[in-house]
PDB file of all heavy atoms in Angstrom:
ATOM      1  N   VAL D 409     117.995  77.789  90.357  1.00  0.00           N
ATOM      2  CA  VAL D 409     118.066  79.030  91.130  1.00  0.00           C
ATOM      3  C   VAL D 409     116.730  79.768  91.067  1.00  0.00           C
ATOM      4  O   VAL D 409     116.254  80.311  92.067  1.00  0.00           O
ATOM      5  CB  VAL D 409     119.210  79.924  90.607  1.00  0.00           C
ATOM      6  CG1 VAL D 409     119.178  81.296  91.279  1.00  0.00           C
ATOM      7  CG2 VAL D 409     120.558  79.250  90.845  1.00  0.00           C
ATOM      8  N   ALA D 410     116.109  79.783  89.862  1.00  0.00           N
ATOM      9  CA  ALA D 410     114.805  80.432  89.721  1.00  0.00           C
ATOM     10  C   ALA D 410     113.769  79.772  90.622  1.00  0.00           C
ATOM     11  O   ALA D 410     112.971  80.445  91.285  1.00  0.00           O
ATOM     12  CB  ALA D 410     114.352  80.365  88.258  1.00  0.00           C
ATOM     13  N   SER D 411     113.780  78.455  90.653  1.00  0.00           N
ATOM     14  CA  SER D 411     112.841  77.717  91.496  1.00  0.00           C
ATOM     15  C   SER D 411     113.103  77.994  92.971  1.00  0.00           C
ATOM     16  O   SER D 411     112.172  78.131  93.768  1.00  0.00           O
ATOM     17  CB  SER D 411     112.965  76.218  91.213  1.00  0.00           C
ATOM     18  OG  SER D 411     112.737  75.949  89.844  1.00  0.00           O
ATOM     19  N   ALA D 412     114.391  78.067  93.343  1.00  0.00           N
ATOM     20  CA  ALA D 412     114.741  78.365  94.733  1.00  0.00           C
ATOM     21  C   ALA D 412     114.281  79.762  95.116  1.00  0.00           C
ATOM     22  O   ALA D 412     113.796  79.982  96.235  1.00  0.00           O
ATOM     23  CB  ALA D 412     116.250  78.238  94.930  1.00  0.00           C
ATOM     24  N   LEU D 413     114.432  80.719  94.205  1.00  0.00           N
ATOM     25  CA  LEU D 413     113.985  82.081  94.470  1.00  0.00           C
ATOM     26  C   LEU D 413     112.474  82.105  94.704  1.00  0.00           C
ATOM     27  O   LEU D 413     111.979  82.796  95.612  1.00  0.00           O
ATOM     28  CB  LEU D 413     114.354  82.986  93.295  1.00  0.00           C
ATOM     29  CG  LEU D 413     114.021  84.467  93.440  1.00  0.00           C
ATOM     30  CD1 LEU D 413     114.757  85.072  94.625  1.00  0.00           C
ATOM     31  CD2 LEU D 413     114.382  85.221  92.156  1.00  0.00           C
ATOM     32  N   ASN D 414     111.743  81.343  93.911  1.00  0.00           N
ATOM     33  CA  ASN D 414     110.300  81.212  94.104  1.00  0.00           C
ATOM     34  C   ASN D 414     109.985  80.677  95.500  1.00  0.00           C
ATOM     35  O   ASN D 414     109.099  81.186  96.204  1.00  0.00           O
ATOM     36  CB  ASN D 414     109.747  80.270  93.036  1.00  0.00           C
ATOM     37  CG  ASN D 414     108.296  79.893  93.265  1.00  0.00           C
ATOM     38  OD1 ASN D 414     107.386  80.661  93.010  1.00  0.00           O
ATOM     39  ND2 ASN D 414     108.093  78.681  93.759  1.00  0.00           N
ATOM     40  N   ASP D 415     110.731  79.653  95.924  1.00  0.00           N
ATOM     41  CA  ASP D 415     110.497  79.049  97.241  1.00  0.00           C
ATOM     42  C   ASP D 415     110.894  79.990  98.375  1.00  0.00           C
ATOM     43  O   ASP D 415     110.231  80.033  99.425  1.00  0.00           O
ATOM     44  CB  ASP D 415     111.273  77.736  97.364  1.00  0.00           C
ATOM     45  CG  ASP D 415     110.822  76.702  96.343  1.00  0.00           C
ATOM     46  OD1 ASP D 415     109.662  76.777  95.915  1.00  0.00           O
ATOM     47  OD2 ASP D 415     111.641  75.843  95.963  1.00  0.00           O
ATOM     48  N   ILE D 416     111.978  80.738  98.182  1.00  0.00           N
ATOM     49  CA  ILE D 416     112.442  81.663  99.222  1.00  0.00           C
ATOM     50  C   ILE D 416     111.419  82.769  99.464  1.00  0.00           C
ATOM     51  O   ILE D 416     111.158  83.148 100.608  1.00  0.00           O
ATOM     52  CB  ILE D 416     113.814  82.254  98.848  1.00  0.00           C
ATOM     53  CG1 ILE D 416     114.902  81.186  98.986  1.00  0.00           C
ATOM     54  CG2 ILE D 416     114.160  83.451  99.737  1.00  0.00           C
ATOM     55  CD1 ILE D 416     116.250  81.608  98.420  1.00  0.00           C
ATOM     56  N   THR D 417     110.833  83.291  98.390  1.00  0.00           N
ATOM     57  CA  THR D 417     109.821  84.338  98.564  1.00  0.00           C
ATOM     58  C   THR D 417     108.631  83.802  99.362  1.00  0.00           C
ATOM     59  O   THR D 417     108.039  84.520 100.182  1.00  0.00           O
ATOM     60  CB  THR D 417     109.330  84.884  97.210  1.00  0.00           C
ATOM     61  OG1 THR D 417     108.814  83.813  96.412  1.00  0.00           O
ATOM     62  CG2 THR D 417     110.452  85.570  96.456  1.00  0.00           C
ATOM     63  N   ARG D 418     108.294  82.538  99.148  1.00  0.00           N
ATOM     64  CA  ARG D 418     107.204  81.920  99.910  1.00  0.00           C
ATOM     65  C   ARG D 418     107.571  81.816 101.392  1.00  0.00           C
ATOM     66  O   ARG D 418     106.755  82.133 102.269  1.00  0.00           O
ATOM     67  CB  ARG D 418     106.897  80.526  99.354  1.00  0.00           C
ATOM     68  CG  ARG D 418     106.283  80.530  97.962  1.00  0.00           C
ATOM     69  CD  ARG D 418     106.346  79.141  97.324  1.00  0.00           C
ATOM     70  NE  ARG D 418     105.728  79.127  96.017  1.00  0.00           N
ATOM     71  CZ  ARG D 418     104.529  78.606  95.738  1.00  0.00           C
ATOM     72  NH1 ARG D 418     103.830  78.042  96.707  1.00  0.00           N
ATOM     73  NH2 ARG D 418     104.028  78.643  94.529  1.00  0.00           N
ATOM     74  N   GLU D 419     108.804  81.361 101.659  1.00  0.00           N
ATOM     75  CA  GLU D 419     109.242  81.193 103.047  1.00  0.00           C
ATOM     76  C   GLU D 419     109.331  82.537 103.772  1.00  0.00           C
ATOM     77  O   GLU D 419     108.902  82.668 104.918  1.00  0.00           O
ATOM     78  CB  GLU D 419     110.605  80.489 103.076  1.00  0.00           C
ATOM     79  CG  GLU D 419     110.576  79.044 102.613  1.00  0.00           C
ATOM     80  CD  GLU D 419     109.790  78.140 103.528  1.00  0.00           C
ATOM     81  OE1 GLU D 419     109.762  78.394 104.748  1.00  0.00           O
ATOM     82  OE2 GLU D 419     109.172  77.179 103.026  1.00  0.00           O
ATOM     83  N   LEU D 420     109.915  83.531 103.096  1.00  0.00           N
ATOM     84  CA  LEU D 420     110.028  84.856 103.714  1.00  0.00           C
ATOM     85  C   LEU D 420     108.653  85.490 103.926  1.00  0.00           C
ATOM     86  O   LEU D 420     108.394  86.123 104.946  1.00  0.00           O
ATOM     87  CB  LEU D 420     110.898  85.770 102.848  1.00  0.00           C
ATOM     88  CG  LEU D 420     112.412  85.554 102.915  1.00  0.00           C
ATOM     89  CD1 LEU D 420     113.125  86.472 101.923  1.00  0.00           C
ATOM     90  CD2 LEU D 420     112.933  85.797 104.322  1.00  0.00           C
ATOM     91  N   GLY D 421     107.772  85.309 102.935  1.00  0.00           N
ATOM     92  CA  GLY D 421     106.425  85.847 103.067  1.00  0.00           C
ATOM     93  C   GLY D 421     105.690  85.231 104.244  1.00  0.00           C
ATOM     94  O   GLY D 421     105.029  85.928 105.020  1.00  0.00           O
ATOM     95  N   THR D 422     105.828  83.910 104.389  1.00  0.00           N
ATOM     96  CA  THR D 422     105.191  83.218 105.505  1.00  0.00           C
ATOM     97  C   THR D 422     105.718  83.736 106.839  1.00  0.00           C
ATOM     98  O   THR D 422     104.949  84.011 107.777  1.00  0.00           O
ATOM     99  CB  THR D 422     105.434  81.705 105.396  1.00  0.00           C
ATOM    100  OG1 THR D 422     104.843  81.217 104.181  1.00  0.00           O
ATOM    101  CG2 THR D 422     104.827  80.976 106.585  1.00  0.00           C
ATOM    102  N   ALA D 423     107.056  83.855 106.939  1.00  0.00           N
ATOM    103  CA  ALA D 423     107.656  84.345 108.182  1.00  0.00           C
ATOM    104  C   ALA D 423     107.214  85.775 108.480  1.00  0.00           C
ATOM    105  O   ALA D 423     106.933  86.122 109.636  1.00  0.00           O
ATOM    106  CB  ALA D 423     109.179  84.273 108.082  1.00  0.00           C
ATOM    107  N   LEU D 424     107.150  86.618 107.451  1.00  0.00           N
ATOM    108  CA  LEU D 424     106.708  88.003 107.638  1.00  0.00           C
ATOM    109  C   LEU D 424     105.253  88.067 108.095  1.00  0.00           C
ATOM    110  O   LEU D 424     104.902  88.851 108.989  1.00  0.00           O
ATOM    111  CB  LEU D 424     106.875  88.782 106.331  1.00  0.00           C
ATOM    112  CG  LEU D 424     108.228  89.414 106.055  1.00  0.00           C
ATOM    113  CD1 LEU D 424     108.300  89.910 104.614  1.00  0.00           C
ATOM    114  CD2 LEU D 424     108.495  90.556 107.023  1.00  0.00           C
ATOM    115  N   GLY D 425     104.407  87.249 107.462  1.00  0.00           N
ATOM    116  CA  GLY D 425     102.991  87.264 107.820  1.00  0.00           C
ATOM    117  C   GLY D 425     102.751  86.895 109.268  1.00  0.00           C
ATOM    118  O   GLY D 425     101.980  87.549 109.980  1.00  0.00           O
ATOM    119  N   VAL D 426     103.426  85.831 109.715  1.00  0.00           N
ATOM    120  CA  VAL D 426     103.288  85.400 111.105  1.00  0.00           C
ATOM    121  C   VAL D 426     103.837  86.457 112.054  1.00  0.00           C
ATOM    122  O   VAL D 426     103.248  86.759 113.101  1.00  0.00           O
ATOM    123  CB  VAL D 426     104.006  84.054 111.325  1.00  0.00           C
ATOM    124  CG1 VAL D 426     104.026  83.689 112.804  1.00  0.00           C
ATOM    125  CG2 VAL D 426     103.325  82.953 110.510  1.00  0.00           C
ATOM    126  N   ALA D 427     104.998  87.048 111.678  1.00  0.00           N
ATOM    127  CA  ALA D 427     105.653  88.025 112.545  1.00  0.00           C
ATOM    128  C   ALA D 427     104.869  89.334 112.644  1.00  0.00           C
ATOM    129  O   ALA D 427     104.886  89.994 113.689  1.00  0.00           O
ATOM    130  CB  ALA D 427     107.065  88.309 112.033  1.00  0.00           C
ATOM    131  N   LEU D 428     104.180  89.717 111.574  1.00  0.00           N
ATOM    132  CA  LEU D 428     103.474  91.000 111.571  1.00  0.00           C
ATOM    133  C   LEU D 428     102.020  90.877 112.022  1.00  0.00           C
ATOM    134  O   LEU D 428     101.563  91.628 112.881  1.00  0.00           O
ATOM    135  CB  LEU D 428     103.523  91.614 110.169  1.00  0.00           C
ATOM    136  CG  LEU D 428     104.906  92.056 109.669  1.00  0.00           C
ATOM    137  CD1 LEU D 428     104.810  92.518 108.220  1.00  0.00           C
ATOM    138  CD2 LEU D 428     105.468  93.172 110.539  1.00  0.00           C
ATOM    139  N   LEU D 429     101.279  89.931 111.440  1.00  0.00           N
ATOM    140  CA  LEU D 429      99.851  89.843 111.735  1.00  0.00           C
ATOM    141  C   LEU D 429      99.566  89.140 113.059  1.00  0.00           C
ATOM    142  O   LEU D 429      98.615  89.499 113.763  1.00  0.00           O
ATOM    143  CB  LEU D 429      99.128  89.119 110.588  1.00  0.00           C
ATOM    144  CG  LEU D 429      99.124  89.847 109.246  1.00  0.00           C
ATOM    145  CD1 LEU D 429      98.301  89.078 108.220  1.00  0.00           C
ATOM    146  CD2 LEU D 429      98.579  91.265 109.381  1.00  0.00           C
ATOM    147  N   GLY D 430     100.383  88.146 113.415  1.00  0.00           N
ATOM    148  CA  GLY D 430     100.184  87.446 114.688  1.00  0.00           C
ATOM    149  C   GLY D 430     100.194  88.381 115.886  1.00  0.00           C
ATOM    150  O   GLY D 430      99.247  88.384 116.700  1.00  0.00           O
ATOM    151  N   PRO D 431     101.238  89.205 116.058  1.00  0.00           N
ATOM    152  CA  PRO D 431     101.266  90.149 117.184  1.00  0.00           C
ATOM    153  C   PRO D 431     100.132  91.171 117.154  1.00  0.00           C
ATOM    154  O   PRO D 431      99.676  91.627 118.205  1.00  0.00           O
ATOM    155  CB  PRO D 431     102.622  90.842 117.021  1.00  0.00           C
ATOM    156  CG  PRO D 431     103.470  89.848 116.301  1.00  0.00           C
ATOM    157  CD  PRO D 431     102.533  89.170 115.356  1.00  0.00           C
ATOM    158  N   LEU D 432      99.664  91.542 115.955  1.00  0.00           N
ATOM    159  CA  LEU D 432      98.549  92.485 115.865  1.00  0.00           C
ATOM    160  C   LEU D 432      97.282  91.887 116.473  1.00  0.00           C
ATOM    161  O   LEU D 432      96.536  92.569 117.188  1.00  0.00           O
ATOM    162  CB  LEU D 432      98.297  92.870 114.399  1.00  0.00           C
ATOM    163  CG  LEU D 432      99.256  93.887 113.788  1.00  0.00           C
ATOM    164  CD1 LEU D 432      98.955  94.063 112.308  1.00  0.00           C
ATOM    165  CD2 LEU D 432      99.130  95.234 114.504  1.00  0.00           C
ATOM    166  N   VAL D 433      97.050  90.613 116.197  1.00  0.00           N
ATOM    167  CA  VAL D 433      95.889  89.936 116.773  1.00  0.00           C
ATOM    168  C   VAL D 433      96.000  89.907 118.292  1.00  0.00           C
ATOM    169  O   VAL D 433      95.042  90.221 119.015  1.00  0.00           O
ATOM    170  CB  VAL D 433      95.774  88.497 116.222  1.00  0.00           C
ATOM    171  CG1 VAL D 433      94.631  87.752 116.917  1.00  0.00           C
ATOM    172  CG2 VAL D 433      95.542  88.510 114.718  1.00  0.00           C
ATOM    173  N   SER D 434      97.187  89.548 118.779  1.00  0.00           N
ATOM    174  CA  SER D 434      97.407  89.464 120.227  1.00  0.00           C
ATOM    175  C   SER D 434      97.246  90.819 120.899  1.00  0.00           C
ATOM    176  O   SER D 434      96.645  90.935 121.975  1.00  0.00           O
ATOM    177  CB  SER D 434      98.807  88.905 120.513  1.00  0.00           C
ATOM    178  OG  SER D 434      98.944  87.603 119.990  1.00  0.00           O
TER     179      SER D 434
END
Side-chain angles (χ1 to χ4, degrees):
V409 172
S411 303
L413 183 61
N414 171 77
D415 298 334
I416 288 170
T417 57
R418 292 165 178 255
E419 292 294 328
L420 283 176
T422 298
L424 274 169
V426 172
L428 293 175
L429 294 184
L432 282 175
V433 175
S434 299

